[in-house]
Amino acid sequence: MQLAVCPGSFDPLHNGHVEIIARASNLFDEVIVAVSSNMHKKPMFSVEERIAMAQETFSYVRGVSVKPLGSGLLTDFCKEVGANALVKGLRDPKDLGYESPMATMNRHLSGLETVFLAADGRYTHLSSTLVKEVHTLGGDVAEFIPRAVQRRLQDRRR
Ligand code: ADP
């Protein structure tokens, strides 16, 4: 059984994340979406809300589950759940520059491999930060995010 972990803060989950996770689920028997609470900036959504949004979004996708990442090392989490690999999406060379030392560090720490998937052209402009910014300034972000996230963003506006 091949298991992949897709880690991130998902604050909030957007369609670029959803597409990468769905593609990972075609490559692996099981995928765990690992929601990090260890953020530098104050998140818009609590870790519980971010987990709930991901669970609702992937409830119909076979083999995908959602777990909190906790505050420890990602490689320890992967060992605990028995993961064979990490899966990350790359939007551009900047993402590669940021992700590649982390991938090498994780491999040196525990032998864990990272699989990079090139982001689909429809989503290369998407980031959680931009989605939040556009929403906060009154823009419509519905086409960039799953329903579970839309509902919570609308609730925040009321
Ligand atoms: P962070 O770990 O920086 O908080 P995010 O929660 O924003 O990251 O994203 C988690 C992962 O999703 C990133 O490591 C990246 O691999 C991937 N990702 C983010 N945005 C996109 C996108 N638009 N298309 C494809 N993959 C993405």
Side-chain angles (χ1 to χ4, degrees):
M1 215 262 313
Q2 297 291 307
L3 192 159
V5 166
C6 292
S9 12
F10 307 110
D11 184 44
L13 187 73
H14 57 63
N15 292 341
H17 297 133
V18 173
E19 205 253 353
I20 292 292
I21 293 161
R23 281 162 60 196
S25 79
N26 290 330
L27 295 172
F28 290 85
D29 301 303
E30 271 190 42
V31 172
I32 296 177
V33 179
V35 181
S36 147
S37 47
N38 187 12
M39 293 174 71
H40 302 301
K41 277 185 285 178
K42 193 182 162 344
M44 178 180 229
F45 292 101
S46 70
V47 70
E48 292 78 16
E49 286 173 303
R50 286 180 272 134
I51 288 171
M53 290 187 277
Q55 274 170 340
E56 283 171 41
T57 304
F58 293 107
S59 59
Y60 301 104
V61 185
R62 201 159 49 91
V64 177
S65 59
V66 185
K67 290 189 195 309
L69 185 49
S71 52
L73 272 177
L74 179 56
T75 48
D76 288 342
F77 174 88
C78 289
K79 204 170 177 182
E80 227 166 80
V81 298
N84 304 91
L86 291 168
V87 172
K88 296 262 182 144
L90 295 179
R91 286 164 287 199
D92 55 26
K94 214 170 111 234
D95 272 357
L96 179 63
Y98 176 73
E99 296 286 352
S100 101
M102 287 201 288
T104 305
M105 177 59 87
N106 287 332
R107 191 166 53 79
H108 284 203
L109 284 174
S110 72
L112 186 72
E113 291 285 4
T114 300
V115 174
F116 291 119
L117 300 181
D120 188 280
R122 288 169 297 172
Y123 306 116
T124 45
H125 62 301
L126 282 187
S127 68
S128 298
T129 305
L130 199 51
V131 165
K132 283 183 283 194
E133 205 167 309
V134 171
H135 171 77
T136 306
L137 296 172
D140 182 5
V141 291
E143 69 175 289
F144 310 122
I145 52 178
R147 278 275 170 80
V149 178
Q150 279 177 39
R151 271 199 303 278
R152 278 163 181 91
L153 277 179
Q154 278 161 7
D155 288 348
R156 289 282 169 108
R157 206 168 246 172
R158 282 193 193 115

